[in-house]
Coordinates of all heavy atoms in Angstrom, one line a residue:
M1 N -109.8 -103.5 118.9 CA -110.3 -102.1 119.0 C -109.9 -101.4 117.8 O -108.9 -100.7 117.8 CB -110.0 -101.6 120.2 CG -110.6 -102.2 121.5 SD -110.3 -101.4 123.0 CE -108.7 -101.7 123.3
H2 N -110.6 -101.4 116.7 CA -110.3 -100.9 115.5 C -110.5 -99.3 115.4 O -110.2 -98.7 114.4 CB -111.0 -101.5 114.4 CG -110.8 -103.0 114.2 ND1 -109.5 -103.4 113.8 CD2 -111.5 -104.0 114.6 CE1 -109.4 -104.8 113.8 NE2 -110.6 -105.2 114.3
E3 N -110.9 -98.7 116.4 CA -111.0 -97.2 116.5 C -109.5 -96.7 116.6 O -109.4 -95.5 116.4 CB -111.8 -96.9 117.7 CG -113.3 -97.0 117.6 CD -113.8 -96.0 116.7 OE1 -113.5 -94.8 116.7 OE2 -114.7 -96.4 115.9
F4 N -108.6 -97.6 116.9 CA -107.2 -97.1 117.2 C -106.2 -97.9 116.3 O -105.5 -98.7 116.8 CB -106.9 -97.3 118.6 CG -107.9 -96.6 119.5 CD1 -108.9 -97.2 120.1 CD2 -107.8 -95.2 119.7 CE1 -109.8 -96.6 120.9 CE2 -108.8 -94.5 120.5 CZ -109.8 -95.2 121.1
P5 N -106.3 -97.8 115.0 CA -105.6 -98.6 114.1 C -104.0 -98.5 114.2 O -103.2 -99.3 113.8 CB -106.0 -98.2 112.7 CG -106.5 -96.7 112.8 CD -107.1 -96.7 114.3
R6 N -103.5 -97.4 114.8 CA -102.1 -97.2 114.9 C -101.5 -97.8 116.3 O -100.3 -97.9 116.5 CB -101.8 -95.7 114.8 CG -101.9 -95.1 113.4 CD -101.5 -93.7 113.3 NE -102.2 -92.9 114.2 CZ -103.2 -92.1 113.9 NH1 -103.6 -92.1 112.6 NH2 -103.9 -91.4 114.8
D7 N -102.5 -98.2 117.2 CA -102.1 -98.6 118.4 C -102.1 -100.3 118.3 O -103.0 -100.9 118.4 CB -103.1 -98.3 119.5 CG -102.7 -98.6 120.9 OD1 -102.0 -99.7 121.1 OD2 -103.2 -97.9 121.8
T8 N -100.8 -100.8 118.2 CA -100.6 -102.2 117.9 C -101.1 -103.0 119.2 O -101.6 -104.1 119.0 CB -99.3 -102.6 117.6 OG1 -98.4 -102.1 118.6 CG2 -98.9 -101.9 116.1
R9 N -100.9 -102.5 120.3 CA -101.4 -103.2 121.5 C -102.9 -103.3 121.5 O -103.5 -104.4 121.8 CB -100.9 -102.5 122.7 CG -101.3 -103.2 124.0 CD -100.5 -102.7 125.2 NE -100.8 -103.4 126.4 CZ -100.5 -103.2 127.5 NH1 -99.7 -102.0 127.8 NH2 -100.9 -103.9 128.6
A10 N -103.6 -102.3 121.1 CA -105.1 -102.3 121.1 C -105.6 -103.4 120.0 O -106.6 -104.0 120.2 CB -105.6 -101.0 120.8
L11 N -104.8 -103.5 118.9 CA -105.3 -104.3 117.9 C -105.3 -105.7 118.3 O -106.0 -106.6 117.7 CB -104.5 -104.1 116.6 CG -104.7 -102.7 115.9 CD1 -103.7 -102.6 114.7 CD2 -106.1 -102.7 115.5
A12 N -104.3 -106.1 119.2 CA -104.1 -107.4 119.7 C -105.1 -107.9 120.8 O -105.1 -109.0 121.2 CB -102.7 -107.7 120.1
I13 N -105.9 -106.9 121.3 CA -106.8 -107.3 122.5 C -108.0 -108.0 121.9 O -108.7 -107.6 121.0 CB -107.1 -105.9 123.2 CG1 -105.9 -105.5 123.8 CG2 -108.2 -106.2 124.1 CD1 -106.1 -104.2 124.5
D14 N -108.3 -109.1 122.6 CA -109.6 -109.8 122.3 C -110.5 -110.1 123.5 O -111.4 -110.8 123.5 CB -109.3 -111.3 121.6 CG -108.4 -112.1 122.6 OD1 -108.1 -111.6 123.7 OD2 -108.3 -113.3 122.1
R15 N -110.2 -109.3 124.6 CA -110.9 -109.5 125.9 C -111.6 -108.1 126.2 O -112.2 -108.1 127.4 CB -109.9 -110.0 127.0 CG -109.4 -111.2 126.6 CD -108.4 -111.7 127.6 NE -109.0 -112.1 129.0 CZ -109.6 -113.2 129.1 NH1 -109.7 -114.2 128.2 NH2 -110.2 -113.6 130.4
Q16 N -111.7 -107.2 125.4 CA -112.3 -105.9 125.5 C -113.0 -105.5 124.2 O -112.5 -106.1 123.2 CB -111.3 -104.8 125.9 CG -110.8 -104.9 127.3 CD -109.8 -103.8 127.5 OE1 -108.7 -103.9 127.1 NE2 -110.2 -102.6 127.9
F17 N -113.9 -104.7 124.2 CA -114.5 -104.3 123.0 C -115.1 -102.9 123.0 O -115.4 -102.4 124.1 CB -115.5 -105.2 122.5 CG -116.7 -105.5 123.3 CD1 -117.9 -104.7 123.1 CD2 -116.7 -106.4 124.3 CE1 -119.0 -104.9 123.8 CE2 -117.8 -106.6 125.1 CZ -119.0 -105.9 124.9
M18 N -115.2 -102.2 121.9 CA -115.8 -100.9 121.8 C -117.3 -101.1 121.4 O -117.5 -102.0 120.6 CB -115.1 -100.1 120.8 CG -113.6 -99.7 121.0 SD -113.4 -98.5 122.3 CE -114.3 -97.1 121.6
W19 N -118.1 -100.4 121.9 CA -119.5 -100.3 121.5 C -119.7 -99.0 120.8 O -119.8 -98.0 121.6 CB -120.4 -100.4 122.7 CG -121.9 -100.5 122.3 CD1 -122.7 -99.6 121.9 CD2 -122.6 -101.9 122.2 NE1 -124.0 -100.2 121.6 CE2 -123.9 -101.6 121.8 CE3 -122.2 -103.2 122.4 CZ2 -124.8 -102.5 121.6 CZ3 -123.2 -104.1 122.3 CH2 -124.5 -103.8 121.8
G20 N -119.6 -99.0 119.5 CA -119.5 -97.7 118.7 C -118.2 -97.1 119.0 O -117.1 -97.7 119.3
A21 N -118.1 -95.8 118.9 CA -116.8 -95.1 118.9 C -116.5 -94.5 120.3 O -115.4 -94.1 120.6 CB -116.8 -93.9 118.0
F22 N -117.5 -94.7 121.3 CA -117.3 -94.0 122.6 C -117.3 -94.8 123.9 O -116.9 -94.4 124.9 CB -118.3 -92.9 122.7 CG -118.1 -91.9 121.7 CD1 -118.9 -91.7 120.6 CD2 -117.1 -91.0 121.8 CE1 -118.8 -90.7 119.7 CE2 -116.8 -89.9 120.8 CZ -117.7 -89.8 119.8
L23 N -117.8 -96.0 123.8 CA -117.9 -96.9 124.9 C -116.9 -98.1 124.9 O -116.9 -98.8 124.0 CB -119.3 -97.4 125.2 CG -120.4 -96.4 125.4 CD1 -121.8 -97.2 125.5 CD2 -120.2 -95.6 126.6
L24 N -116.2 -98.3 125.9 CA -115.2 -99.3 126.1 C -115.7 -100.2 127.1 O -115.7 -99.8 128.3 CB -113.8 -98.8 126.4 CG -112.6 -99.7 126.6 CD1 -112.4 -100.6 125.3 CD2 -111.5 -99.0 127.2
I25 N -115.9 -101.4 126.8 CA -116.4 -102.5 127.7 C -115.3 -103.5 128.0 O -114.8 -104.0 127.0 CB -117.7 -103.2 127.2 CG1 -118.7 -102.1 126.9 CG2 -118.2 -104.2 128.1 CD1 -119.9 -102.5 126.1
S26 N -115.1 -103.8 129.3 CA -114.1 -104.7 129.7 C -114.7 -105.8 130.5 O -114.7 -105.8 131.7 CB -113.0 -104.0 130.4 OG -112.4 -102.9 129.8
P27 N -115.3 -106.8 129.8 CA -116.1 -107.8 130.5 C -115.2 -108.8 131.4 O -114.1 -109.1 131.1 CB -116.8 -108.6 129.4 CG -115.9 -108.4 128.3 CD -115.3 -107.1 128.4
V28 N -115.8 -109.2 132.4 CA -115.2 -110.3 133.2 C -115.4 -111.6 132.5 O -116.5 -112.0 132.4 CB -115.6 -110.4 134.7 CG1 -115.0 -111.4 135.5 CG2 -115.4 -109.0 135.4
L29 N -114.4 -112.3 132.2 CA -114.5 -113.6 131.5 C -114.2 -114.8 132.2 O -114.3 -115.9 131.8 CB -113.7 -113.5 130.2 CG -114.1 -112.4 129.3 CD1 -113.2 -112.4 128.0 CD2 -115.6 -112.5 128.8
E30 N -113.5 -114.6 133.5 CA -113.2 -115.8 134.3 C -114.2 -115.8 135.4 O -114.7 -114.9 136.1 CB -111.9 -115.5 134.9 CG -110.7 -115.9 134.0 CD -110.4 -114.6 133.1 OE1 -110.6 -113.5 133.6 OE2 -109.9 -114.8 132.0
E31 N -114.6 -117.1 135.7 CA -115.5 -117.3 136.7 C -115.0 -116.9 138.2 O -113.9 -117.1 138.5 CB -115.9 -118.8 136.8 CG -117.0 -119.2 137.7 CD -117.4 -120.7 137.7 OE1 -116.8 -121.5 136.9 OE2 -118.3 -121.1 138.3
N32 N -115.9 -116.3 138.9 CA -115.5 -115.8 140.3 C -114.5 -114.7 140.3 O -114.1 -114.3 141.4 CB -115.1 -116.9 141.2 CG -116.2 -118.0 141.4 OD1 -117.3 -117.6 141.6 ND2 -115.8 -119.2 141.3
A33 N -114.1 -114.1 139.2 CA -113.3 -112.9 139.2 C -113.9 -111.7 139.7 O -115.1 -111.6 139.3 CB -112.7 -112.8 137.7
R34 N -113.2 -110.9 140.3 CA -113.8 -109.6 140.9 C -113.0 -108.4 140.4 O -113.2 -107.2 140.8 CB -113.8 -109.6 142.4 CG -114.6 -110.7 143.0 CD -116.1 -110.5 142.7 NE -116.9 -111.5 143.5 CZ -117.2 -112.6 143.0 NH1 -116.9 -113.1 141.7 NH2 -118.0 -113.4 143.6
S35 N -112.1 -108.6 139.4 CA -111.4 -107.5 138.7 C -111.0 -108.0 137.4 O -111.1 -109.3 137.0 CB -110.2 -107.1 139.5 OG -109.2 -108.2 139.6
V36 N -110.6 -107.1 136.5 CA -110.3 -107.4 135.2 C -109.1 -106.5 134.7 O -109.0 -105.3 135.2 CB -111.5 -107.3 134.2 CG1 -112.1 -105.9 134.2 CG2 -111.2 -107.8 132.8
Q37 N -108.2 -107.0 133.9 CA -107.1 -106.2 133.4 C -107.8 -105.4 132.2 O -108.3 -106.0 131.2 CB -106.0 -106.9 132.9 CG -105.1 -107.4 134.0 CD -104.3 -106.3 134.7 OE1 -103.8 -105.3 133.9 NE2 -104.1 -106.2 135.9
A38 N -107.6 -104.1 132.1 CA -108.1 -103.4 130.9 C -107.2 -102.4 130.4 O -106.4 -101.7 131.2 CB -109.4 -102.6 131.4
Y39 N -107.1 -102.4 129.1 CA -106.1 -101.5 128.4 C -106.9 -100.3 127.9 O -107.9 -100.4 127.4 CB -105.4 -102.2 127.2 CG -104.5 -101.3 126.4 CD1 -103.4 -100.8 127.0 CD2 -104.9 -101.0 125.1 CE1 -102.6 -100.0 126.2 CE2 -104.0 -100.1 124.4 CZ -102.9 -99.6 124.9 OH -102.2 -98.8 124.2
F40 N -106.3 -99.1 128.0 CA -106.9 -97.9 127.6 C -106.0 -97.2 126.6 O -104.9 -96.6 126.8 CB -107.1 -97.0 128.8 CG -108.1 -97.5 129.8 CD1 -107.7 -98.4 130.9 CD2 -109.5 -97.2 129.7 CE1 -108.6 -98.9 131.7 CE2 -110.3 -97.8 130.5 CZ -109.9 -98.6 131.6
P41 N -106.3 -97.2 125.3 CA -105.5 -96.7 124.2 C -105.2 -95.2 124.5 O -106.0 -94.4 125.0 CB -106.5 -96.8 123.0 CG -107.4 -98.0 123.3 CD -107.6 -97.8 124.8
G42 N -104.0 -94.9 124.2 CA -103.4 -93.5 124.5 C -103.8 -92.4 123.6 O -103.6 -91.3 123.9
E43 N -104.6 -92.8 122.5 CA -105.0 -91.8 121.6 C -106.3 -91.0 122.1 O -106.8 -90.3 121.4 CB -105.2 -92.4 120.2 CG -104.0 -93.0 119.6 CD -104.3 -93.6 118.3 OE1 -105.2 -93.1 117.5 OE2 -103.6 -94.6 117.9
A44 N -106.8 -91.3 123.2 CA -108.0 -90.8 123.7 C -108.0 -90.6 125.2 O -107.1 -91.1 125.9 CB -109.2 -91.8 123.4
R45 N -108.8 -89.9 125.8 CA -109.0 -89.8 127.2 C -110.2 -90.6 127.6 O -111.1 -90.8 126.9 CB -109.3 -88.3 127.6 CG -108.2 -87.4 127.4 CD -108.5 -85.9 127.7 NE -108.7 -85.7 129.1 CZ -109.2 -84.6 129.6 NH1 -109.6 -83.6 129.0 NH2 -109.3 -84.5 130.9
W46 N -110.1 -91.3 128.8 CA -111.1 -92.3 129.2 C -111.5 -91.9 130.6 O -110.8 -91.5 131.4 CB -110.5 -93.7 129.2 CG -110.1 -94.1 127.8 CD1 -108.8 -94.1 127.3 CD2 -110.8 -94.6 126.9 NE1 -108.8 -94.5 126.0 CE2 -110.1 -94.9 125.6 CE3 -112.3 -94.8 126.8 CZ2 -110.6 -95.2 124.5 CZ3 -112.7 -95.3 125.6 CH2 -112.0 -95.6 124.5
F47 N -112.9 -92.2 130.8 CA -113.5 -91.9 132.1 C -114.4 -93.0 132.4 O -115.1 -93.6 131.7 CB -114.4 -90.5 131.8 CG -113.6 -89.4 131.5 CD1 -113.4 -89.0 130.2 CD2 -113.1 -88.5 132.5 CE1 -112.6 -87.9 129.8 CE2 -112.3 -87.4 132.1 CZ -112.2 -87.1 130.7
D48 N -114.3 -93.3 133.8 CA -115.2 -94.4 134.3 C -116.7 -93.8 134.2 O -117.1 -92.8 134.5 CB -114.9 -94.5 135.9 CG -115.7 -95.6 136.4 OD1 -116.9 -95.4 136.6 OD2 -115.0 -96.7 136.7
Y49 N -117.5 -94.7 133.6 CA -118.9 -94.4 133.4 C -119.7 -94.0 134.6 O -120.5 -93.2 134.6 CB -119.6 -95.6 132.6 CG -121.1 -95.4 132.4 CD1 -121.5 -94.6 131.4 CD2 -122.0 -96.0 133.3 CE1 -122.9 -94.5 131.2 CE2 -123.3 -95.8 133.1 CZ -123.9 -95.1 132.1 OH -125.1 -94.9 131.9
Y50 N -119.3 -94.8 135.8 CA -120.1 -94.7 136.9 C -119.7 -93.5 137.8 O -120.5 -92.9 138.5 CB -120.0 -96.0 137.7 CG -120.4 -97.1 137.0 CD1 -119.5 -98.0 136.3 CD2 -121.8 -97.5 136.8 CE1 -119.9 -99.1 135.7 CE2 -122.1 -98.6 136.1 CZ -121.2 -99.4 135.4 OH -121.7 -100.5 134.7
T51 N -118.3 -93.2 137.8 CA -117.8 -92.1 138.7 C -117.4 -90.9 138.0 O -117.2 -89.8 138.6 CB -116.7 -92.7 139.5 OG1 -115.6 -92.9 138.6 CG2 -117.0 -93.9 140.3
G52 N -117.2 -90.9 136.6 CA -116.6 -89.8 136.0 C -115.2 -89.6 136.1 O -114.6 -88.6 135.6
I53 N -114.5 -90.4 136.9 CA -113.1 -90.2 137.2 C -112.2 -90.7 135.9 O -112.6 -91.6 135.3 CB -112.6 -91.1 138.4 CG1 -113.3 -90.5 139.6 CG2 -111.2 -91.1 138.5 CD1 -113.1 -91.4 140.9
E54 N -111.3 -89.7 135.6 CA -110.4 -90.1 134.3 C -109.4 -91.2 134.7 O -108.9 -91.3 135.8 CB -109.7 -88.8 133.9 CG -108.9 -89.0 132.6 CD -108.4 -87.8 132.1 OE1 -108.5 -86.7 132.7 OE2 -107.8 -87.8 130.9
V55 N -109.3 -92.0 133.7 CA -108.3 -93.2 133.8 C -107.1 -92.8 133.0 O -107.3 -92.3 132.0 CB -108.9 -94.5 133.3 CG1 -108.0 -95.6 133.4 CG2 -110.2 -94.8 134.2
E56 N -105.9 -93.1 133.5 CA -104.7 -92.8 132.7 C -104.7 -93.7 131.5 O -104.7 -94.9 131.5 CB -103.4 -93.1 133.6 CG -102.1 -92.8 132.9 CD -101.0 -93.1 133.7 OE1 -101.1 -93.4 134.9 OE2 -99.8 -93.2 133.2
A57 N -104.5 -93.1 130.3 CA -104.5 -93.8 129.0 C -103.1 -94.2 128.7 O -102.1 -93.8 129.3 CB -105.1 -92.8 127.9
G58 N -103.0 -95.1 127.7 CA -101.8 -95.6 127.1 C -101.2 -96.8 128.0 O -100.1 -97.2 127.7
R59 N -101.9 -97.3 128.8 CA -101.5 -98.5 129.6 C -102.7 -99.3 130.1 O -103.8 -98.9 130.1 CB -100.6 -98.0 130.8 CG -101.3 -97.3 131.9 CD -100.3 -96.9 133.0 NE -100.9 -96.6 134.2 CZ -101.1 -97.4 135.3 NH1 -100.8 -98.6 135.1 NH2 -101.7 -97.0 136.3
A60 N -102.4 -100.5 130.8 CA -103.4 -101.3 131.3 C -103.6 -101.1 132.8 O -102.7 -100.6 133.5 CB -103.0 -102.8 131.1
H61 N -104.8 -101.3 133.3 CA -105.1 -101.2 134.7 C -106.0 -102.3 135.1 O -106.6 -102.9 134.4 CB -106.0 -99.9 134.9 CG -105.4 -98.6 134.5 ND1 -104.7 -97.8 135.4 CD2 -105.3 -97.9 133.4 CE1 -104.3 -96.6 134.9 NE2 -104.7 -96.8 133.5
E62 N -105.7 -102.6 136.5 CA -106.7 -103.6 137.0 C -107.9 -102.8 137.5 O -107.8 -101.9 138.3 CB -106.0 -104.4 138.3 CG -106.8 -105.5 138.7 CD -106.1 -106.4 139.5 OE1 -104.9 -106.5 139.4 OE2 -106.7 -107.2 140.2
I63 N -109.0 -103.2 137.0 CA -110.3 -102.6 137.3 C -111.2 -103.5 138.2 O -111.4 -104.7 137.9 CB -111.1 -102.3 135.9 CG1 -110.1 -101.5 134.9 CG2 -112.4 -101.6 136.2 CD1 -109.7 -100.1 135.4
D64 N -111.7 -102.9 139.3 CA -112.7 -103.6 140.1 C -113.9 -104.0 139.2 O -114.4 -103.3 138.5 CB -113.0 -102.8 141.3 CG -112.0 -102.6 142.3 OD1 -111.1 -103.5 142.4 OD2 -112.0 -101.6 143.0
A65 N -114.3 -105.2 139.5 CA -115.6 -105.7 138.7 C -116.4 -106.6 139.7 O -116.5 -107.7 139.6 CB -115.1 -106.4 137.5
P66 N -117.1 -105.9 140.7 CA -118.0 -106.7 141.5 C -119.1 -107.4 140.6 O -119.3 -106.9 139.5 CB -118.5 -105.7 142.5 CG -118.3 -104.3 141.9 CD -117.2 -104.5 141.0
L67 N -119.9 -108.3 141.2 CA -120.8 -109.0 140.5 C -121.9 -108.1 139.8 O -122.5 -108.4 138.8 CB -121.5 -110.1 141.3 CG -120.6 -111.3 141.7 CD1 -121.3 -112.1 142.7 CD2 -120.1 -112.0 140.5
D68 N -122.3 -107.0 140.5 CA -123.3 -106.1 140.0 C -122.8 -104.9 139.2 O -123.5 -104.0 139.0 CB -124.1 -105.7 141.1 CG -123.3 -104.8 142.1 OD1 -122.1 -104.8 142.0 OD2 -124.0 -104.2 142.9
H69 N -121.6 -105.1 138.6 CA -121.0 -104.0 138.0 C -120.2 -104.4 136.7 O -119.4 -105.3 136.7 CB -119.9 -103.3 138.9 CG -119.1 -102.2 138.4 ND1 -119.6 -100.9 138.8 CD2 -118.1 -102.0 137.8 CE1 -118.7 -100.1 138.3 NE2 -117.8 -100.7 137.6
I70 N -120.6 -103.8 135.6 CA -119.8 -104.1 134.3 C -118.8 -103.0 134.0 O -119.2 -101.8 134.0 CB -120.8 -104.1 133.1 CG1 -121.7 -105.3 133.2 CG2 -120.0 -104.2 131.9 CD1 -122.9 -105.3 132.3
P71 N -117.5 -103.3 134.0 CA -116.5 -102.3 133.7 C -116.7 -101.6 132.4 O -116.7 -102.1 131.3 CB -115.1 -103.1 133.7 CG -115.4 -104.2 134.5 CD -116.9 -104.7 134.2
L72 N -117.1 -100.3 132.5 CA -117.6 -99.5 131.4 C -116.8 -98.2 131.5 O -116.9 -97.5 132.4 CB -119.1 -99.3 131.4 CG -119.6 -98.5 130.3 CD1 -119.4 -99.1 128.9 CD2 -121.1 -98.4 130.6
H73 N -116.3 -97.7 130.4 CA -115.6 -96.5 130.3 C -116.0 -95.8 129.0 O -116.3 -96.3 128.0 CB -114.0 -96.7 130.2 CG -113.6 -97.2 131.6 ND1 -113.7 -98.6 131.9 CD2 -113.1 -96.7 132.7 CE1 -113.2 -98.7 133.2 NE2 -112.8 -97.5 133.7
V74 N -116.0 -94.4 129.2 CA -116.5 -93.5 128.1 C -115.3 -92.7 127.6 O -114.4 -92.2 128.3 CB -117.5 -92.6 128.7 CG1 -118.0 -91.6 127.6 CG2 -118.6 -93.3 129.2
R75 N -115.2 -92.7 126.2 CA -114.2 -91.9 125.6 C -114.5 -90.4 125.7 O -115.6 -90.0 125.6 CB -114.1 -92.4 124.1 CG -112.9 -91.8 123.3 CD -113.1 -92.4 122.0 NE -112.1 -92.0 121.0 CZ -111.8 -92.4 119.9 NH1 -112.8 -93.3 119.3 NH2 -110.9 -92.0 119.1
G76 N -113.4 -89.7 126.1 CA -113.5 -88.3 126.1 C -114.0 -87.7 124.9 O -113.8 -88.2 123.8
G77 N -115.0 -86.7 125.0 CA -115.6 -86.1 123.9 C -117.0 -86.6 123.4 O -117.6 -86.1 122.6
A78 N -117.2 -87.7 124.2 CA -118.6 -88.4 123.9 C -119.7 -87.5 124.4 O -119.6 -86.7 125.3 CB -118.7 -89.7 124.6

């Protein structure tokens, strides 16, 4: 996640990606998984795309990921 070059933890992540500067996508990569671990860089505020609820930044969260739902978060200010 090169939007956050000072966040060494974000730079090491290869299971999430940014779409532009404002969308954070945390895809499910394991078969039959219904949740995913997602890291939210602390240099920004993050909101669940579907609910608008803010997610605590600067740490990882386990995010629900039912089959019909792609874990998607919007960076504050978008």
Side-chain angles (χ1 to χ4, degrees):
M1 290 191 289
H2 298 289
E3 285 289 318
F4 307 96
R6 292 184 298 263
D7 187 332
T8 56
R9 186 167 178 188
L11 292 174
I13 292 173
D14 63 356
R15 301 178 70 80
Q16 290 176 272
F17 61 95
M18 296 285 298
W19 190 278
F22 295 105
L23 295 177
L24 176 62
I25 302 169
S26 307
V28 176
L29 301 175
E30 284 84 29
E31 187 174 359
N32 298 318
R34 298 295 185 268
S35 66
V36 64
Q37 284 288 322
Y39 174 69
F40 297 87
E43 295 178 34
R45 294 176 69 187
W46 297 100
F47 299 88
D48 183 286
Y49 174 81
Y50 304 98
T51 66
I53 296 173
E54 186 169 3
V55 178
E56 181 183 350
R59 69 181 197 91
H61 296 268
E62 185 164 345
I63 304 296
D64 288 334
L67 291 176
D68 62 346
H69 181 96
I70 297 172
L72 178 62
H73 292 82
V74 179
R75 187 177 181 178

